Amino acid sequence: QVQLVESGGGLVQAGGSLRLSCAASGRTFRSYFMGWFRQAPGKEREFVAGITWSGDITHYADSVKGRFTISRDNAKNMVFLQMNSLKPDDTAVYYCAVSTTILSTTPGTYRYWGQGTQVTVSS
């Protein structure tokens, strides 16, 4: 069983930055693929960024490429999402998730999910 707890969300003006954190339980954290997803009201959950267990491969949605950076600290069982140049369209609940199989953009691939943290970007 893996438990994930996100933090770092909040209200920010367009152009600002936020850093989301996700704390994970589980002794095999370093073997997991980690992903960040988001879901805006009335929309489907969408992939934002993912990272392999070693951190050497990352993947981003086109909408956030160049603005967001995913990273992880396996020693602390943490994964992060640095979000810069935020836009109102980035407003959503952000979730971190664990895949025990592959790095994927598909939500169904991820087995464990956090409760989410709200990010609101004002114009």
Side-chain angles (χ1 to χ4, degrees), residues 89-104:
D89 284 349
D90 295 319
T91 296
V93 177
Y94 283 71
Y95 300 89
C96 70
V98 166
S99 168
T100 59
T101 55
I102 60 172
L103 181 61
S104 169

Side-chain angles (χ1 to χ4, degrees), residues 7 36 52 57 71 81 85 88 93-94 99 104 107:
S7 62
W36 284 98
T52 55
I57 297 175
S71 61
L81 186 67
S85 302
V93 177
Y94 283 71
S99 168
S104 169

